[in-house]
Amino acid sequence: MDRNLPRNFIGVLLDWLLKSFVCVRWGGILFFWYCITAGIRQGGILSPVLFAIYMDTLIKRLRSSGFGCKVVDKYYGCLVYADDILLLYYTANAMRVMLEICDEFAFIID
């Protein structure tokens, strides 16, 4: 909604999420099925895009804090790939501040 997506598109995503069921498989045996009510599905076709949208807010917060490495005025203080985040800066105190920003983001977004 913050990105001004059409309501119909958001409705389709919500409907898709509410109909997403997964089960636990261990050693070839399928256990119970349950509905995914939060997060993004691992291996889903939209998962990388949805994760990038989700993480974009954190990256903007880190960039605007003034902490993080820059190369030729490009921000490289936070590198994100799949479900991993790499924070880059050259002082321990600045890294602590960046981690506090991440912690605050996780608390607010959850």
Side-chain angles (χ1 to χ4, degrees):
M1 290 179 171
D2 292 342
R3 295 176 180 275
N4 299 318
L5 294 171
R7 288 182 182 254
N8 292 344
F9 182 72
I10 294 171
V12 168
L13 288 177
L14 181 61
D15 188 58
W16 173 69
L17 176 66
L18 294 175
K19 292 179 180 175
S20 294
F21 286 86
V22 295
C23 75
V24 175
R25 180 173 62 179
W26 189 347
I29 299 170
L30 296 178
F31 290 87
F32 59 92
W33 288 83
Y34 61 96
C35 182
I36 298 174
T37 57
I40 52 178
R41 204 168 90 195
Q42 185 174 357
I45 194 164
L46 286 176
S47 296
V49 173
L50 294 175
F51 181 73
I53 291 169
Y54 177 80
M55 293 306 296
D56 189 48
T57 304
L58 174 61
I59 295 168
K60 285 179 181 177
R61 286 182 185 196
L62 289 166
R63 184 183 306 131
S64 68
S65 74
F67 295 101
C69 290
K70 291 182 182 177
V71 177
V72 191
D73 292 330
K74 297 261 186 193
Y75 183 76
Y76 292 99
C78 178
L79 303 176
V80 180
Y81 178 76
D83 60 351
D84 297 320
I85 302 170
L86 176 66
L87 301 176
L88 299 170
Y89 207 63
Y90 54 88
T91 67
N93 188 49
M95 183 60 67
R96 182 187 52 76
V97 172
M98 292 175 75
L99 287 170
E100 287 173 1
I101 292 169
C102 292
D103 186 54
E104 179 185 307
F105 175 77
F107 182 75
I108 291 170
I109 218 72
D110 190 28

